[in-house]
Amino acid sequence: MGEAAIRTIVEAIHSSPTQAVVYLSGGASLALGWLMSVPGASNTLLEAVVPYSRISMVQLLGRVPSQHCSQSMANEMALLAYNRALKLSKPGSLATSPPKRGDHRFFLSMRASDRIWETGVTLTKNLRSREEEDKVASRVLIQAMAKACQVSETLDSGLTKSEVADESETQFSEEQELEQLINGQLSCKIYPFSREAYGSDKDRKIILPGSFNPLHDGHLKLLEVAMSVCGGGYPCFEISAVNADKPPLSVAQIKDRVKQFEAVGKTVIVSNQPYFYKKAELFPGSSFVIGADTAARLVNPKYYEGSNKRMLEILGDCKRTGCTFLVGGRNVDGVFKVLEDIDIPEEISEMFISIPEEKFRMDISSTELRKNQGGVDKRKREITEEEE
């Protein structure tokens, strides 16, 4: 099969909803040219990186690799690319990521949220030139991407009968994905229970973080009002499975809290980042919906080892990611506080946007609901004991 067949399958890839970050090292470089030469590449490619030199690879991995050409190395690069794709893609998009090849063999790994595809091929020595080997590796990569994109078209890889590709597909359960997230392997898991997005910037995430134990009407109303204040975007809730001063949530706890959002048809993201400066790195360009009490803590040097300079540096980094904070009023120690009651440093003041009290005020909290529920449960137990 020639260039026409390659173009056909690449067009089908670009027509699929899949988006990808591609990391390549050492080979299959022709695949990038094929992907980018066909109209629609921006629908598929979020980013392409070729860490060709040793130093570049060390910087990508954060360590010196023990072996440059192996399936485990390909899997590690795929996971890095997938986590990068999570930052760049729209909620709900499948992100895939293929590395890499060596002298006479190559390994390919593609990672999505719930599965990993692995391919290893050993090429016959002295059968092809380096350019011809690169073309074979590129064809295998394109075919693997097509499979991940659920494209039915096939492409002749150019492998001989003795050069059989060793392929495998491993699917992860929801529990395994969440364990990977808690352990820091995955940066987040998105549950796209809704597709609602509106306004001029539909790709921007409007994120309401919280523990949501339980989710209540105040949360739903606050996000709704925040959407109207900022002019639209993609509304989502966010739960951090990892806490700064508490043990991480268990898989069972995460699943129970996620069920609340499924019941009301709202998208929720589960991350492993409890700090806002890390959330900003994970979700660049997003608007975070917070209460006035949280805003006050964000600008309090007490939480930055007492350093005002450190506070401005960290929030300045958040600002450079394009993130903003939409601040709703909150009842603090019996007094209703709004953004205007907080002394925001001038250097970062434009990051904070007020949600007017007349648009949102609801004196309700998950803590109070849990206390009330606890009282109800206690009364139920007492009534049951008396009846018995």
Side-chain angles (χ1 to χ4, degrees), residues 212-254:
F212 305 110
N213 184 29
L215 173 69
H216 56 70
D217 289 342
H219 296 134
L220 300 173
K221 180 63 176 177
L222 178 56
L223 186 55
E224 180 184 329
V225 172
M227 287 284 288
S228 66
V229 168
C230 68
Y234 189 101
C236 7
F237 295 86
E238 185 252 348
I239 301 170
S240 177
V242 178
N243 294 288
D245 51 6
K246 299 177 184 177
L249 297 177
S250 67
V251 168
Q253 287 175 316
I254 295 171

Side-chain angles (χ1 to χ4, degrees), residues 90-148:
K90 302 175 185 178
S93 299
L94 170 67
T96 60
S97 49
K100 82 165 209 160
R101 79 175 283 282
D103 290 336
H104 292 279
R105 57 180 180 164
F106 61 88
F107 297 94
L108 167 70
S109 182
M110 306 186 72
R111 174 65 198 246
S113 173
D114 64 345
R115 69 194 65 208
I116 185 169
W117 295 269
E118 299 171 273
T119 303
V121 178
T122 299
L123 299 172
T124 304
K125 290 184 178 180
N126 303 319
L127 179 63
R128 305 175 183 87
S129 65
R130 182 175 178 83
E131 182 180 359
E132 289 170 336
E133 287 185 345
D134 189 87
K135 184 174 289 188
V136 170
S138 296
R139 284 172 171 265
V140 172
L141 187 156
I142 293 294
Q143 182 60 67
M145 288 188 71
K147 182 178 180 180

Side-chain angles (χ1 to χ4, degrees), residues 307-318 320 348:
S307 172
N308 188 70
K309 180 182 178 182
R310 181 64 177 153
M311 179 267 291
L312 290 175
E313 286 176 352
I314 289 178
L315 292 180
D317 289 339
C318 293
R320 281 185 282 277
I348 55 174

Side-chain angles (χ1 to χ4, degrees), residues 292-293 296-297 330-337 361 363 365 368:
D293 54 336
R297 289 194 296 271
R330 189 73 187 266
N331 199 324
V332 181
D333 298 327
V335 180
F336 193 78
K337 299 282 188 179
R361 175 165 182 169
D363 298 333
S365 73
E368 292 173 355

Side-chain angles (χ1 to χ4, degrees), residues 67-376:
Q67 190 176 1
H68 282 269
C69 186
S70 66
Q71 189 65 65
S72 62
M73 182 72 167
N75 292 352
E76 185 174 352
M77 291 177 69
L79 190 56
L80 287 169
Y82 177 69
N83 281 319
R84 177 66 176 159
L86 285 172
K87 294 182 180 182
L88 301 177
S89 63
K90 302 175 185 178
S93 299
L94 170 67
T96 60
S97 49
K100 82 165 209 160
R101 79 175 283 282
D103 290 336
H104 292 279
R105 57 180 180 164
F106 61 88
F107 297 94
L108 167 70
S109 182
M110 306 186 72
R111 174 65 198 246
S113 173
D114 64 345
R115 69 194 65 208
I116 185 169
W117 295 269
E118 299 171 273
T119 303
V121 178
T122 299
L123 299 172
T124 304
K125 290 184 178 180
N126 303 319
L127 179 63
R128 305 175 183 87
S129 65
R130 182 175 178 83
E131 182 180 359
E132 289 170 336
E133 287 185 345
D134 189 87
K135 184 174 289 188
V136 170
S138 296
R139 284 172 171 265
V140 172
L141 187 156
I142 293 294
Q143 182 60 67
M145 288 188 71
K147 182 178 180 180
C149 295
Q150 300 181 340
V151 169
S152 59
E153 286 85 351
T154 59
L155 183 66
D156 182 6
S157 64
L159 295 172
T160 65
K161 291 183 179 180
S162 62
E163 297 171 327
V164 179
D166 182 13
E167 298 178 304
S168 67
E169 178 179 342
T170 304
Q171 188 164 358
F172 304 113
S173 66
E174 181 184 6
E175 289 76 12
Q176 288 174 313
E177 289 181 65
L178 293 174
E179 286 288 356
Q180 291 171 1
L181 185 143
I182 294 168
N183 294 334
Q185 293 173 275
L186 290 181
S187 58
C188 68
K189 177 173 173 57
I190 302 170
Y191 291 86
F193 295 131
S194 67
R195 299 286 181 180
E196 55 180 310
Y198 63 83
S200 58
D201 191 359
K202 295 181 180 180
D203 291 342
R204 178 180 55 167
K205 299 180 183 73
I206 312 300
I207 302 173
L208 174 54
S211 59
F212 305 110
N213 184 29
L215 173 69
H216 56 70
D217 289 342
H219 296 134
L220 300 173
K221 180 63 176 177
L222 178 56
L223 186 55
E224 180 184 329
V225 172
M227 287 284 288
S228 66
V229 168
C230 68
Y234 189 101
C236 7
F237 295 86
E238 185 252 348
I239 301 170
S240 177
V242 178
N243 294 288
D245 51 6
K246 299 177 184 177
L249 297 177
S250 67
V251 168
Q253 287 175 316
I254 295 171
K255 291 181 68 175
D256 282 344
R257 295 189 193 184
V258 166
K259 286 177 183 177
Q260 300 176 106
F261 297 94
E262 184 176 17
V264 295
K266 301 296 182 181
T267 290
V268 62
I269 301 171
V270 182
S271 80
N272 55 14
Q273 300 298 347
Y275 300 108
F276 275 101
Y277 75 96
K278 287 294 186 181
K279 294 181 195 290
E281 292 176 3
L282 183 57
F283 309 114
S286 297
S287 294
F288 294 98
V289 185
I290 60 175
D293 54 336
T294 301
R297 289 194 296 271
L298 272 176
V299 298
N300 189 338
K302 168 186 173 182
Y303 298 100
Y304 302 86
E305 300 176 348
S307 172
N308 188 70
K309 180 182 178 182
R310 181 64 177 153
M311 179 267 291
L312 290 175
E313 286 176 352
I314 289 178
L315 292 180
D317 289 339
C318 293
K319 182 179 178 181
R320 281 185 282 277
T321 67
C323 289
T324 57
F325 296 99
L326 299 169
V327 184
R330 189 73 187 266
N331 199 324
V332 181
D333 298 327
V335 180
F336 193 78
K337 299 282 188 179
V338 293
L339 177 62
E340 289 72 20
D341 297 318
I342 303 168
D343 185 16
I344 305 292
E346 185 179 350
E347 298 93 322
I348 55 174
S349 60
E350 64 185 37
M351 291 177 64
F352 293 83
I353 302 167
S354 178
I355 297 176
E357 181 180 353
E358 59 268 21
K359 287 196 172 184
F360 176 82
R361 175 165 182 169
M362 192 172 286
D363 298 333
I364 182 175
S365 73
S366 295
T367 302
E368 292 173 355
L369 287 174
R370 286 197 302 274
K371 287 180 180 178
N372 293 337
Q373 184 61 44
V376 171

